[in-house]
Amino acid sequence: MLKIWRSSIKSRKDAKMTVEKNVEITNETGLHARPASKFVQKAGTFKSDVTIIYGEKEVNAKSIMGVLSLGVSQGNEIIIKCKGEDAETALEELVNFLHEQMAEE
């Protein structure tokens, strides 16, 4: 009788990278309405899971309702966390998006 054992160890190809960064919101209106909508659209372009942590809350950054529920205002600090195959790219582009494009709002 042949026994097949399944290993719980995943190869490095299957491993998902997680990166995060603290970001201060400088936009006058904070992360509300239109700025939140634009951020959610940008987050949706990545394969990685993207979350925003603010205080005790952690929400899916690809969900407009989740982002709006945070009530992030100008001067608040959030953590953007990305997990997946394009996590580093996603984090870099989302942080740049907040600093450059949302500062213009």
Side-chain angles (χ1 to χ4, degrees), residues 78-92:
I78 62 172
I79 299 170
I80 301 174
K81 182 166 70 171
C82 303
K83 180 179 181 179
E85 62 186 74
D86 60 352
E88 287 182 325
T89 301
L91 182 64
E92 181 181 333

Side-chain angles (χ1 to χ4, degrees), residues 18-25 31 39 49-61 67 70 72 76-82 91 94-95 98:
T18 301
V19 291
E20 62 182 45
K21 185 167 187 168
N22 292 22
V23 180
E24 182 179 347
I25 301 301
L31 204 50
F39 184 82
D49 294 330
V50 182
T51 56
I52 297 175
I53 303 167
Y54 177 62
E56 298 294 317
K57 292 184 180 179
E58 183 170 345
V59 300
N60 180 353
V67 174
L70 294 174
V72 178
N76 293 148
E77 187 172 275
I78 62 172
I79 299 170
I80 301 174
K81 182 166 70 171
C82 303
L91 182 64
L94 289 168
V95 168
L98 287 174

Side-chain angles (χ1 to χ4, degrees), residues 1 10 36-37 39 61 65 79 86 91 99 102 104:
M1 184 167 144
K10 294 183 178 180
S37 176
F39 184 82
M65 295 305 289
I79 299 170
D86 60 352
L91 182 64
H99 285 149
M102 292 195 54
E104 297 171 3

Side-chain angles (χ1 to χ4, degrees), residues 10-21:
K10 294 183 178 180
S11 71
R12 291 181 82 50
K13 290 181 184 177
D14 293 339
K16 291 187 176 184
M17 176 180 288
T18 301
V19 291
E20 62 182 45
K21 185 167 187 168

